[in-house]
Structures are given as C-alpha cells and as structure tokens.
Amino acid sequence: MRNTRCAPNRGSEPRPSLWKADSVLKALLLLKKKRYQDQLLDKTENQISNLERMVQDIEFMQIEMTVIEGLKVGNDCLKSMHEIMSVEDVERILDETQESIDYQKQIDEMLAGALTQEDEEAALAELEAITQGEDLALPEVPTEPIPEVPETHKAETERREAKDKPDREMLTA
C-alpha cells in the first residue's frame, strides 16, 4: 500500500521519507513471501523424497515376495522328488553304475591286449597268409557270360514299378 499523502505547502508530490518507509515495508513483505515459498518448496521436496522411498520399498517387497514364491515352488519340487526317490535308491543306482563301469573296463582290457602269446602268433600267421596268398581258399569266378534278361521280363518289371508308384492327383486350388 502506497501512502500518497502530500504536505499542504508542497503541492501534489509525495514526500521522499514516505517513499523510503514504503519500500522497506515492501522489501520486508517480499522477504517473508520468499521465505514462505522456500519452506513450501522444502516441504514438497521432503514429501516427494518420502514418496520415492515408499515406492522403492514397495518394489523391493514385491521382489522379495517373488523370490519367496520361487523358493516355495522349489521346496515343493524337492519334496516331491524325495518322495519319488529315496537315498537308498540313489545309492543303489550309483552302485549299479559303478559295477557297469568296472565290467566295461574288464571287457576293454580283454579286447585291448589280453591275448596270449600263442593267440598273437596265430593272428600274425593268418595275416601273413592272407597278404602272401598262401593257403587261401577263394571261390572260383565264373568264366561264362551272364545271360540276357528277356524283353517280356523287363516289361513286366516296369509295370510292377509303375503300379507301386502313387498316381498323381489333381488338386483344386
């Protein structure tokens, strides 16, 4: 509010002392208004910060719930597997597997080098006989020409093959 009173001897112009007092009041009012807005801004920022923390807490709780549900499902699966298979069954399967491995090793050892000296000498002699052509009884190869297949037989074979092939069918679009 501006005070515009004039002294009777000066005419219509306001006095400078009143201007100064008026501007101090305005400055004080502006400072109070600025301080009030700063306080409102601080309160609003604190509320936004609190809301953000609450949202993060809720998201974390949702993740925790998902993890807990996953653990429950995993636990139920393990329980059902334990019902199906006992420790004794697992031990029995492992024992059977080990026995099978040992048996296979024995077979491998027998095949790899467990031949006696006599067996080895006989195998070498047989190999030498095969490579040198000694005492090799091969069947005789026929020297006669192979007879020709008659034309009627060829035509009959072609008819059978044609019957065996599926016929093509026209398909409508």
Side-chain angles (χ1 to χ4, degrees):
M1 294 182 115
R2 188 181 261 187
N3 193 358
T4 57
R5 283 198 248 171
C6 298
N9 59 358
R10 291 196 180 171
S12 64
E13 291 187 22
R15 290 186 287 177
S17 65
L18 289 178
W19 280 350
K20 190 176 181 183
D22 192 35
S23 62
V24 169
L25 288 175
K26 282 185 181 182
L28 183 63
L29 182 64
L30 286 174
L31 287 174
K32 286 182 180 180
K33 186 177 180 181
K34 183 181 181 276
R35 176 171 272 186
Y36 177 72
Q37 287 177 345
D38 286 343
Q39 288 175 352
L40 280 178
L41 186 62
D42 287 342
K43 284 181 184 178
T44 306
E45 286 177 354
N46 285 337
Q47 288 175 349
I48 289 172
S49 176
N50 287 339
L51 287 173
E52 287 175 350
R53 255 186 271 124
M54 291 171 95
V55 167
Q56 288 175 351
D57 289 344
I58 290 170
E59 289 174 349
F60 185 71
M61 289 298 290
Q62 288 174 339
I63 292 171
E64 283 181 336
M65 292 301 294
T66 305
V67 169
I68 289 172
E69 287 299 318
L71 289 173
K72 284 180 184 178
V73 169
N75 194 19
D76 292 341
C77 288
L78 284 174
K79 284 180 182 178
S80 65
M81 288 180 67
H82 289 304
E83 290 174 4
I84 294 172
M85 189 176 293
S86 67
V87 175
E88 292 83 20
D89 290 339
V90 173
E91 288 175 351
R92 181 183 49 79
I93 291 171
L94 289 174
D95 289 341
E96 289 174 359
T97 304
Q98 186 61 41
E99 288 173 4
S100 297
I101 290 171
D102 292 341
Y103 184 72
Q104 184 62 42
K105 283 181 183 177
Q106 288 176 352
I107 291 173
D108 290 344
E109 289 173 0
M110 290 176 142
L111 293 175
L115 292 178
T116 63
Q117 186 66 26
E118 294 172 359
D119 292 337
E120 205 167 312
E121 289 173 1
L124 288 174
E126 188 177 345
L127 175 65
E128 190 175 318
I130 290 173
T131 57
Q132 304 246 341
E134 299 174 8
D135 298 10
L136 200 54
L138 295 175
E140 287 191 29
V141 178
T143 56
E144 302 169 359
I146 299 175
E148 290 290 322
V149 179
E151 291 295 322
T152 57
H153 184 62
K154 284 183 182 177
E156 190 176 305
T157 306
E158 289 174 3
R159 277 194 308 249
R160 282 189 205 145
E161 289 175 2
K163 284 183 181 178
D164 291 342
K165 288 184 182 177
D167 293 333
R168 291 187 179 175
E169 296 180 16
M170 288 183 51
L171 300 175
T172 57

